[in-house]
Each structure stands twice: as C-alpha cells, then as structure tokens.
Amino acid sequence: MSSTQPLRSPQETLKLLYDVSREFNSALDLRTVLQRVLFLTMRNIGAQSGSIIVVDEHGEPIESAIIHGSNILSQTTQQLRITTEQGLAGWVMRNRTAALVKDTSKDPRWLRRPDDAVDRTGPKSAISTPLIAREQLVGVITLVNSTPGKFGRQHLSLVQAIADQAGVAVLNARLYAESKRQARVMGALAETASVINATIKLDEVLQRIAAQTRQALNVQASSLALLDEETGELVFRAVDGGAGSQLVGMRLKVGEGIAGWVARRGQPVIVHHAHGDPRFQPETDRRTGFYTSAIACSPISQDGKIIGVLEALNPQHGRFERDTLMVLNGICNLAGTAISHAQLFVQLQAAHQRYRDLFEDSLSPIIITDMEGRIVEANRQAIETSGFSQDELYRMSIADLHQVDEQHTGERLEALQESARTIIYESVMHLQGGETIPVQVLARRVSIESRPHIQWILRDITERKHIDSLRNDLISMIYHDLRSPLSNIISSLEILRSMLPQNDETIESVVQIAERSTERIQRLTNSLLDVHRLESGKPMLSQEIVGVVPLVDDAIEAVRLSLEAKQQSLEVAIPPDLPALYVDKDMIRRVLINLLDNAVKYTASQGRIRIEARPRDEMVEISVIDTGPGIPSSEQEHIFYKFTRLRSRPGSKGLGLGLTFCRLAVEGHGGRIWVKSQVGVGSRFSITLPSAPPESLLTHSAEVAGN
Ligand code: ADP
C-alpha cells in the first residue's frame, strides 16, 4: 500500500479495525502479538519500517519488536531503550500524545543514530502513537516511511484507531507474560529449595546455592560469601563459573566492594556497569583474571542478622532481566535457612565428636547399655581393661561384666529407669581371663539419639583398695603392737613419779615432758583407731553425762604448756546454767584438745584464744576462737576431710588427721562441726554435741582460766 492509494471509506475502516482487532486478540504470546500489531499497522498505512515497544507499569521497556521491510528483528529492547529515553517514542510516551513528523531531519524529537545519519538514509516521515489500555500506558508504536511528507493527518488517525485496538491486546499479552514470568520465578525458587535442602553438609549447601543462582539467573558466574564474625570480613565460600575456586577463601572487608556495600547496608543492588561504579573494586578481577561487567548482589540474613551475600555476575544476554532481584532475594531467603540448618548440624557434629572424644579418651572404662543392660557401646579403656574384644562385649550384658548390685539398681535396673541420678556402689569387674578387679561403679540414665540408655563407668579401685589395706594394716599394727607398750610406759612413768624425790624441779619437769609426750602419742593412736572405727559406722560405745566445764578444763590442761610458751591469752565463757553433755568423754576431750591445739599452733605469740559454749536446739554448741591467720573459704570445707580424702598432700605439713577425727567424732554423736573464718582475722571452729537429759542438769560457774 502506498500514500497514492485513496484512503478508505468509513465502512472500510471499520471493517479493517474489526479485522485487526480479531487478529491481535487471537494470540497471547507477547512477542507474537507485537509482531502482528506492527506488521498489520505498517501494511495498512504503508510504512516501510516500524518499531513497537512495550513498557511495564513503571515505564521500563520490557519487550519490543522492529520490522525493517520484511525483516523482523528480535532482542531489540536494549537498542530501543535509548529511543524511549531520548527519541520520538520517549516524547510520545511522556506526553501520551501521538506525533506526526513530516520530515525527521527537521524535527528535534527524532533521535539520530549513527546508522540513521541524514547523509546515509536521508530524511524520512514518521508517525508515533502511544498504546493505551484502561488508561494505562502500555507502549508506543512508531512507523517510518523513507519519503518525507509521506504521512498525513489521515494516516495519523488510522494509526491511532489501530493503536486503540492494539492497546488492550498488548496489555493482555503483557499480563500473561507477567504471570508466566512469576511462574518461572516460583519454579526456579522451588527447584533451588529442593536442590539445596537435599544436603545438610555446609560446604555442599553453599556450593549448591551458588550453582542454583547461576542457573536460575542465567549468568556467567555466581559467588557466595559469608561474614566472619571475628574479623568482620566477608569470606568467599562458594563460587560457580567465572573465577571458580581461586576466589574461594578470598576476603573482603565489610564496606569494601559491592558485596561489602550490600553486607553493610543490608539491601540488594544491581550494577549494570561494574567498572563505572565507585563501589566496585577492580582488585578482585585483577587477581582472578575474570572480567566483571555487571553485578546483582543480595544480602543473606538469619534471624534478622546479615550473615553473608550472594552475587550473580555477567548475565548471558548482556543485561540482567527484570526479575533478577526477585529471584536473587528469593534464593537468599532460602539460603539463610539452609545455611543456619547446616551450621547447626556442624555444631551438633562437633558436640557429638567432643562427647565421643571424652568417651573414648576417658581413663575409666565406660559402657553404654540399653535399659535391659545389653551392651551397645564400650570405650577403648573398657576393651583394654576387660580384655574382651569389642565384638565380644557387644554380645554381653552388663551383668556379665561386673556384679550388679541389685540393692542399688533394683533387680531389673528399675532404680536407673525411674530416676536420672547417679547410682554409686563398689563391685568387682570380671576380666577376660577369669580374673576380677575391684571397681567403683557409677551408673546413670542417659539419652542417646533421644532414647534412654544407661551409662556405666567402672572405675578401677585396685590402687585405693591397696592403700586402704595398708592403712588397716597400720592401724592394726598400732592397735596390737603399740598400744600395750604405750600403756606400759604410762604406768611405768606413774610408778617412777611416786618413787622420785619430791620438790626437785628439774626431775619434775623431765618427768612432765615424758608424761605429756606419751599422752600425746596415746591421743594420736586413739584418734587413729577412732577414725577407723567411726568411718566404718560402728556405734558410740561409752556415752556418759559429763559437764562442759570439767571437759573444757581437762582439754586446756593438755595444751597449757604450749599456750604458756607462746604467751597467748585464753578466755572461757560458759554460762552457769548450761546443760551437761551426753558423750564419749575421752573422745570429746580429744576433740577439744585438737581444736585448742590448732588454735595455739596457728595463732602467733601473744595472740588471743577464746572458748565459748551455749545451748542450741537441744544441743550444746562449743566454739574455739582464735586470732590466727584464718582459712580461705575455698579451703574451709575440705580441711575436715583432708585425712580421708587427700591423705597427705605433697607439700602440706600436717596429715590432717586432727579435724577429720573431730568431724567423725562429732558426727558420730549426732552433732555437727563447722568453721567460720576470715583470712588475716582468725577462725572460729564450732561443734554441737548432745546435751544430757534435763534431770541430770549439772551446774557450772563461768571460769576464766590461764594466761
Ligand atoms: P593438721 O594440723 O595435722 O594439718 P588438722 O586436721 O588439725 O590437721 O587441720 C587441717 C588443716 O586445717 C591444717 O593443716 C590447717 O591448714 C587448717 N587449720 C586447722 N585449724 C586451724 C586454725 N585454727 N587456724 C588456721 N588454720 C587451721
């Protein structure tokens, strides 16, 4: 058709419009619709070339077509973008008004490209009209004829009439394309989700995220960097395509480069020309040899905290598609959860490994059984000590390995099933060759893979048993071999004293030293025997009613010489109406001597010592107070157990027999012993002892003794 052809009658025009409208609406694919609209319009007004551009709701070009004679050009959106910004089409879109250009060389709205220079293709005539549907601008159509002045008003009205029909068809096709695009995004995300969730290993998860990003966004390369909390740097952990693994491990400071900018701001970004962006750091490209042209980057967060970034580099078709950020953000959301799961898994594995190491490296045999006592696990030490192989042990029950103390565990281990507390008893462990060793058993219910099991620790106590028996030997040696000679010395000293001349001070003091020393040895041996007796829970034998004052006096008498030698003052405060005690007199006298002896020993010369007594809840409380160095609170508990628990510790002076004996003796009477002390101020040792029944109340007067 040419302009010389007469224009159509109104009927013909109506018919034409009806036909084109049917034609437009018979397709839904945007590109097909565009080509048809353009082709039909060109044919009907006699244009030689034309373009059609479709824009989204923000006016951004999303699809286009160019027809040159009979050539249909595709992938033209990028090329036409500039027309919408600076050319005639842009003017039409901005003003939503059609334009008729009779001579393109004379109209400033016509954008001249290099190939469109006046001297190459010459002046032309053009018509451009907006495509509008439901009051929305959906695009622009531009038609060109190479002869200036070819198009007139009538052409313009016809194009406008066709454009009115085309608008709706284009809008529908655009909406259809939009929904297809969204479906594609959802599909890509769903696929990404299933791929990255198919593993729990952190490195694999990261690698899969990178690979999925590259595939879903159709880019040359993708990379994932995680934030190192300690250094505050981004560390590249996974790369797909591009620089590949040589980028892995590289670090970027937060704030540095585009990734660093995204990590700091927490917002996604698309940079179409990386090397022209001031945030871009060409250094990484220089190091890897990869050329970054465009970047899309999005932050990965976990519980509202940024943990890393995901980057897509260099889209295969030159420019990022419109939905790039939507897809990238979607993948980042999935990545946040997948990474946190994988990290939790790593932590769990580490915890498991720590437990495993503790289990394997324990110096004691550890056995895990099910709730019926069947062995399901045994550590290295259990295998070594028992002599059984792992397979042999796994076929045994815990009762084959040691004598289960049913009194503690219950016949069917029910005590262990019912409570989670540790059950402790002594037993013997059966070794592979038929031998046995003494063990202390610690059994406890534990949960393994959320099912209840029992953990048995079988501590070898051969050594301790050996020491115990040595101690018992020593004690019976004292009992049998020292006690009677010692009593002999004491009675001989008594006889000797009666035979010696009176009033000879020298002889008197020598005899006194002999007497006190033997008394001291006797007290020690008696205490040692008492500790042995009391430890094995033997009952108190000889309790009698005894007044506090005579008992205290007796004790003071025993330490008087050392007290005087150190010129210490001793104050005694005992209320007159204090009830008498009901105790093993000799034993408690030794308790008091021990406390006083320590007070004198640890207090400096000329220091003060005080004894107090008072009734307390049906008992009598007696305290020995000194102005010695005091005892640090960390020590206060264990000084009463020093002898039984620690025996003699290397470097410590005393054996710790004294206070251990005091505790056992007082507890044997149903009383208590404790210390209150402040370093640098002094100590107050207190004991409570049973008081005698009321009718046997003895009266005492407060006394002040010694200096
Ligand atoms: P030993 O004096 O043989 O070590 P004891 O059982 O009498 O044994 O005392 C245990 C420890 O308690 C002592 O070694 C000492 O460190 C501390 N101790 C006991 N009494 C006093 C006291 N009055 N002042 C400071 N320290 C004391």
CSV table of all heavy atoms in Angstrom, one decimal, residues 88 99-112 116-119 121-126 145-150:
chain,number,residue,atom,x,y,z
A,88,LEU,N,11.9,10.0,19.7
A,88,LEU,CA,10.5,10.4,19.4
A,88,LEU,C,9.5,9.6,20.3
A,88,LEU,O,8.6,10.1,20.9
A,88,LEU,CB,10.1,10.2,17.9
A,88,LEU,CG,8.7,10.6,17.5
A,88,LEU,CD1,8.5,12.1,17.7
A,88,LEU,CD2,8.5,10.2,16.1
A,99,ALA,N,2.4,11.7,17.6
A,99,ALA,CA,3.1,12.7,16.9
A,99,ALA,C,3.3,12.4,15.4
A,99,ALA,O,3.5,11.2,15.1
A,99,ALA,CB,4.5,12.8,17.5
A,100,LEU,N,3.1,13.4,14.6
A,100,LEU,CA,3.3,13.2,13.2
A,100,LEU,C,4.5,14.0,12.8
A,100,LEU,O,4.6,15.2,13.0
A,100,LEU,CB,2.0,13.7,12.5
A,100,LEU,CG,2.1,13.8,10.9
A,100,LEU,CD1,2.3,12.4,10.3
A,100,LEU,CD2,0.8,14.5,10.4
A,101,VAL,N,5.5,13.3,12.2
A,101,VAL,CA,6.7,14.0,11.8
A,101,VAL,C,6.8,13.9,10.3
A,101,VAL,O,7.1,12.8,9.8
A,101,VAL,CB,8.0,13.4,12.5
A,101,VAL,CG1,9.3,14.1,12.1
A,101,VAL,CG2,7.9,13.5,14.0
A,102,LYS,N,6.7,15.1,9.7
A,102,LYS,CA,6.7,15.0,8.2
A,102,LYS,C,8.1,14.9,7.7
A,102,LYS,O,8.3,14.2,6.7
A,102,LYS,CB,6.1,16.3,7.7
A,102,LYS,CG,4.6,16.5,8.1
A,102,LYS,CD,3.8,17.0,7.0
A,102,LYS,CE,2.4,16.6,7.1
A,102,LYS,NZ,1.4,17.5,7.0
A,103,ASP,N,9.1,15.5,8.4
A,103,ASP,CA,10.5,15.4,7.9
A,103,ASP,C,11.4,15.2,9.2
A,103,ASP,O,11.6,16.1,10.0
A,103,ASP,CB,10.9,16.7,7.2
A,103,ASP,CG,12.3,16.5,6.6
A,103,ASP,OD1,13.1,15.6,7.1
A,103,ASP,OD2,12.6,17.4,5.8
A,104,THR,N,11.9,14.0,9.3
A,104,THR,CA,12.6,13.6,10.5
A,104,THR,C,13.9,14.5,10.6
A,104,THR,O,14.4,14.7,11.7
A,104,THR,CB,13.0,12.1,10.5
A,104,THR,OG1,13.7,11.9,9.3
A,104,THR,CG2,11.8,11.2,10.6
A,105,SER,N,14.4,14.9,9.5
A,105,SER,CA,15.7,15.7,9.6
A,105,SER,C,15.4,17.1,10.2
A,105,SER,O,16.3,17.8,10.6
A,105,SER,CB,16.3,15.8,8.3
A,105,SER,OG,15.5,16.6,7.4
A,106,LYS,N,14.1,17.5,10.3
A,106,LYS,CA,13.8,18.8,10.8
A,106,LYS,C,13.2,18.8,12.1
A,106,LYS,O,12.8,19.8,12.7
A,106,LYS,CB,12.9,19.5,9.8
A,106,LYS,CG,13.5,19.7,8.4
A,106,LYS,CD,12.9,20.8,7.6
A,106,LYS,CE,13.6,21.1,6.3
A,106,LYS,NZ,12.9,20.5,5.2
A,107,ASP,N,13.0,17.6,12.6
A,107,ASP,CA,12.3,17.6,13.9
A,107,ASP,C,13.2,17.2,15.1
A,107,ASP,O,13.9,16.1,15.0
A,107,ASP,CB,11.1,16.5,13.9
A,107,ASP,CG,10.1,16.7,15.0
A,107,ASP,OD1,10.6,16.8,16.2
A,107,ASP,OD2,8.9,16.7,14.7
A,108,PRO,N,13.4,18.0,16.0
A,108,PRO,CA,14.4,17.8,17.1
A,108,PRO,C,14.0,16.5,17.9
A,108,PRO,O,14.9,16.0,18.6
A,108,PRO,CB,14.4,19.0,18.0
A,108,PRO,CG,13.0,19.7,17.7
A,108,PRO,CD,12.6,19.3,16.3
A,109,ARG,N,12.7,16.1,17.9
A,109,ARG,CA,12.4,14.9,18.7
A,109,ARG,C,12.9,13.6,18.1
A,109,ARG,O,13.0,12.6,18.8
A,109,ARG,CB,10.8,14.8,18.8
A,109,ARG,CG,10.2,16.0,19.5
A,109,ARG,CD,8.7,15.9,19.4
A,109,ARG,NE,8.3,16.1,18.0
A,109,ARG,CZ,7.0,16.2,17.7
A,109,ARG,NH1,6.0,16.1,18.6
A,109,ARG,NH2,6.7,16.3,16.4
A,110,TRP,N,13.3,13.7,16.9
A,110,TRP,CA,13.8,12.5,16.2
A,110,TRP,C,15.3,12.2,16.6
A,110,TRP,O,16.1,13.1,16.4
A,110,TRP,CB,13.7,12.6,14.7
A,110,TRP,CG,14.1,11.4,13.9
A,110,TRP,CD1,15.3,11.1,13.3
A,110,TRP,CD2,13.3,10.2,13.8
A,110,TRP,NE1,15.2,9.8,12.8
A,110,TRP,CE2,14.0,9.3,13.1
A,110,TRP,CE3,12.0,9.9,14.2
A,110,TRP,CZ2,13.5,8.0,12.8
A,110,TRP,CZ3,11.5,8.6,13.9
A,110,TRP,CH2,12.3,7.7,13.2
A,111,LEU,N,15.5,11.1,17.2
A,111,LEU,CA,16.9,10.8,17.6
A,111,LEU,C,17.7,10.2,16.5
A,111,LEU,O,17.3,9.2,15.9
A,111,LEU,CB,16.8,9.8,18.8
A,111,LEU,CG,18.2,9.2,19.2
A,111,LEU,CD1,18.9,10.3,20.1
A,111,LEU,CD2,18.0,7.9,20.0
A,112,ARG,N,18.8,10.9,16.2
A,112,ARG,CA,19.6,10.4,15.0
A,112,ARG,C,20.7,9.4,15.5
A,112,ARG,O,21.5,9.8,16.3
A,112,ARG,CB,20.1,11.5,14.3
A,112,ARG,CG,20.0,11.3,12.8
A,112,ARG,CD,20.3,12.6,12.0
A,112,ARG,NE,19.6,13.8,12.5
A,112,ARG,CZ,18.3,14.0,12.1
A,112,ARG,NH1,17.7,13.2,11.3
A,112,ARG,NH2,17.7,15.1,12.6
A,116,ASP,N,21.5,6.2,11.2
A,116,ASP,CA,20.3,7.0,10.7
A,116,ASP,C,20.8,8.4,10.3
A,116,ASP,O,20.0,9.3,10.2
A,116,ASP,CB,19.4,7.0,11.9
A,116,ASP,CG,18.0,7.5,11.5
A,116,ASP,OD1,17.6,7.2,10.4
A,116,ASP,OD2,17.3,8.2,12.3
A,117,ALA,N,22.0,8.6,10.1
A,117,ALA,CA,22.5,9.9,9.7
A,117,ALA,C,21.9,10.4,8.4
A,117,ALA,O,21.6,9.6,7.6
A,117,ALA,CB,24.1,9.8,9.6
A,118,VAL,N,21.7,11.7,8.4
A,118,VAL,CA,21.0,12.2,7.2
A,118,VAL,C,21.6,11.9,5.9
A,118,VAL,O,21.0,11.5,4.9
A,118,VAL,CB,20.9,13.8,7.4
A,118,VAL,CG1,20.1,14.4,6.2
A,118,VAL,CG2,20.3,14.2,8.7
A,119,ASP,N,23.0,11.8,6.0
A,119,ASP,CA,23.7,11.5,4.7
A,119,ASP,C,23.6,10.0,4.3
A,119,ASP,O,24.0,9.6,3.3
A,119,ASP,CB,25.1,12.0,4.8
A,119,ASP,CG,25.9,11.5,6.0
A,119,ASP,OD1,25.2,10.9,6.8
A,119,ASP,OD2,27.1,11.6,6.0
A,121,THR,N,20.7,7.7,5.3
A,121,THR,CA,19.4,7.2,4.9
A,121,THR,C,18.5,8.4,4.5
A,121,THR,O,17.3,8.2,4.1
A,121,THR,CB,18.7,6.4,6.0
A,121,THR,OG1,18.7,7.2,7.2
A,121,THR,CG2,19.4,5.1,6.2
A,122,GLY,N,18.9,9.5,4.8
A,122,GLY,CA,18.2,10.7,4.3
A,122,GLY,C,17.0,11.0,5.2
A,122,GLY,O,16.7,10.3,6.1
A,123,PRO,N,16.3,12.2,5.0
A,123,PRO,CA,15.1,12.5,5.8
A,123,PRO,C,14.0,11.5,5.5
A,123,PRO,O,13.9,10.9,4.4
A,123,PRO,CB,14.8,13.9,5.3
A,123,PRO,CG,15.5,14.2,4.1
A,123,PRO,CD,16.6,13.1,3.9
A,124,LYS,N,13.2,11.3,6.5
A,124,LYS,CA,12.0,10.4,6.4
A,124,LYS,C,10.8,11.0,7.0
A,124,LYS,O,10.9,12.1,7.6
A,124,LYS,CB,12.4,9.1,7.2
A,124,LYS,CG,13.6,8.4,6.8
A,124,LYS,CD,13.9,7.2,7.6
A,124,LYS,CE,14.8,7.6,8.8
A,124,LYS,NZ,16.2,7.7,8.5
A,125,SER,N,9.7,10.3,6.8
A,125,SER,CA,8.5,10.8,7.6
A,125,SER,C,8.1,9.7,8.6
A,125,SER,O,8.4,8.5,8.4
A,125,SER,CB,7.3,11.1,6.7
A,125,SER,OG,7.0,10.0,6.0
A,126,ALA,N,7.6,10.1,9.7
A,126,ALA,CA,7.3,9.2,10.8
A,126,ALA,C,6.0,9.5,11.5
A,126,ALA,O,5.6,10.7,11.6
A,126,ALA,CB,8.4,9.2,11.8
A,145,ASN,N,8.4,6.0,7.0
A,145,ASN,CA,8.4,5.9,5.6
A,145,ASN,C,9.6,6.7,5.1
A,145,ASN,O,9.9,7.8,5.6
A,145,ASN,CB,7.2,6.4,4.9
A,145,ASN,CG,7.1,6.0,3.5
A,145,ASN,OD1,8.0,6.5,2.7
A,145,ASN,ND2,6.2,5.2,3.1
A,146,SER,N,10.4,6.2,4.1
A,146,SER,CA,11.6,6.8,3.8
A,146,SER,C,11.4,8.1,3.0
A,146,SER,O,12.4,8.9,2.7
A,146,SER,CB,12.5,5.9,3.0
A,146,SER,OG,11.8,5.4,1.9
A,147,THR,N,10.2,8.4,2.6
A,147,THR,CA,10.0,9.7,1.9
A,147,THR,C,9.4,10.7,2.8
A,147,THR,O,8.3,10.5,3.4
A,147,THR,CB,9.0,9.5,0.7
A,147,THR,OG1,9.3,8.3,0.1
A,147,THR,CG2,8.9,10.7,-0.2
A,148,PRO,N,10.0,11.9,3.0
A,148,PRO,CA,9.5,12.9,3.8
A,148,PRO,C,8.1,13.4,3.3
A,148,PRO,O,7.9,13.3,2.1
A,148,PRO,CB,10.5,14.1,3.8
A,148,PRO,CG,11.7,13.5,3.1
A,148,PRO,CD,11.3,12.3,2.4
A,149,GLY,N,7.2,13.7,4.2
A,149,GLY,CA,5.9,14.2,3.9
A,149,GLY,C,4.9,13.1,3.4
A,149,GLY,O,3.8,13.4,2.9
A,150,LYS,N,5.3,11.9,3.6
A,150,LYS,CA,4.5,10.8,3.1
A,150,LYS,C,3.3,10.6,4.0
A,150,LYS,O,2.2,10.3,3.5
A,150,LYS,CB,5.3,9.5,3.1
A,150,LYS,CG,4.7,8.4,2.4
A,150,LYS,CD,5.1,8.4,0.9
A,150,LYS,CE,4.5,7.3,0.2
A,150,LYS,NZ,4.5,7.5,-1.3
